[in-house]
Amino acid sequence: MIRRLTRRMIPASAALALTLAVSACGFHLRSALELPADMGPVRVVSADRYSPLAESLAQALTRAGATPATEDTDDATVLDLLGEQWGDRPIALDELGRAQEYSLRYAVTFEVRKPDGTTPVPRQTIELARDYVSNPVQSIGTEGEREILQGEMRREMVASVLRRLDAVARHTAALPAATPAMPTEGTPTEATPIEGTPIEGTPAPAAPAIPAEGGGDTPR
């Protein structure tokens, strides 16, 4: 049992080191993120006015080049966090039936609305999951590891939401700039000749000969 717990604690230590490194260097997606060209000023709203995720998303969008909307902005694009949910599910028990490992789950439902009411990013849910070890005897260390995972998963959720915006921007940019106009009814196309007018390159039919008045070839 001790050997099993020791092996499982190694990834947690690595995750802590990675979290500290990311926190030290900052979280930037500017070089890899492409926002929709017609996005305009952006406002991040949440059912929880003190949501750490909403604040992190607003900061990340600003770093990526988006213009933050103010309270006086009427035509802002809204990134609406419709719901955030955390949950723990036991996935391993010790010999006494006590949970010693959990799966921490984080689900966020959101959508992006433009001022005209359209939703370039329709309502959808992103769910993340991470496993962590729980010591049934010493809960203090377990709570510390859980808090570290929560911070790491929030940062990953920010990246996941921004990647959805990036995908929409790249898809929009890949669309053709203009669609060829269809011919109007009654207007001849290049392949349809106008009645009585030969197509270019096609000789016109010869007109029937009209006999001259009083000619000798015409019977009287």
Side-chain angles (χ1 to χ4, degrees), residues 125-211:
T125 299
I126 300 176
E127 183 174 348
L128 305 175
R130 294 290 181 273
D131 299 342
Y132 68 96
V133 175
S134 171
N135 190 329
V137 179
Q138 298 179 355
S139 59
I140 297 179
T142 298
E143 289 299 320
E145 183 178 352
R146 188 180 188 278
E147 292 178 1
I148 292 174
L149 283 179
Q150 283 183 315
E152 181 183 348
M153 293 171 73
R154 282 196 189 97
R155 284 187 287 272
E156 187 172 348
M157 184 63 71
V158 169
S160 297
V161 172
L162 294 183
R163 279 195 293 268
R164 301 294 174 93
L165 296 178
D166 179 79
V168 170
R170 295 179 186 276
H171 174 73
T172 303
L175 294 177
T179 303
M182 297 297 293
T184 306
E185 184 177 357
T187 303
T189 62
E190 184 178 355
T192 304
I194 302 176
E195 184 177 357
T197 302
I199 303 176
E200 183 178 356
T202 303
I210 300 177

Side-chain angles (χ1 to χ4, degrees), residues 82-124:
L82 303 171
E84 296 182 58
Q85 186 175 4
W86 293 92
D88 291 278
R89 183 171 63 88
I91 57 176
L93 305 176
D94 62 11
E95 65 275 6
L96 299 179
R98 298 174 299 188
Q100 67 176 8
E101 189 173 357
Y102 287 88
S103 176
L104 179 61
R105 297 181 177 273
Y106 183 33
V108 172
T109 301
F110 73 100
E111 69 178 9
V112 176
R113 297 190 305 273
K114 297 184 65 175
D116 58 3
T118 59
T119 54
V121 182
R123 179 177 301 191
Q124 54 193 277

Side-chain angles (χ1 to χ4, degrees), residues 8-82:
R8 290 187 178 277
M9 286 298 291
I10 293 175
S13 302
L16 174 59
L18 177 61
T19 301
L20 295 176
V22 171
S23 301
C25 66
F27 182 75
H28 299 282
L29 286 174
R30 185 180 181 87
S31 60
L33 181 67
E34 181 178 341
L35 296 177
D38 58 346
M39 194 170 188
V42 184
R43 178 184 294 114
V44 181
V45 300
S46 173
D48 179 8
R49 60 181 300 181
Y50 301 108
S51 169
L53 178 64
E55 182 178 356
S56 297
L57 275 170
Q59 295 173 355
L61 284 169
T62 302
R63 287 195 299 266
T67 302
T70 63
E71 295 181 357
D72 299 330
T73 305
D74 297 328
D75 57 345
T77 297
V78 177
L79 197 165
D80 194 355
L81 301 177
L82 303 171

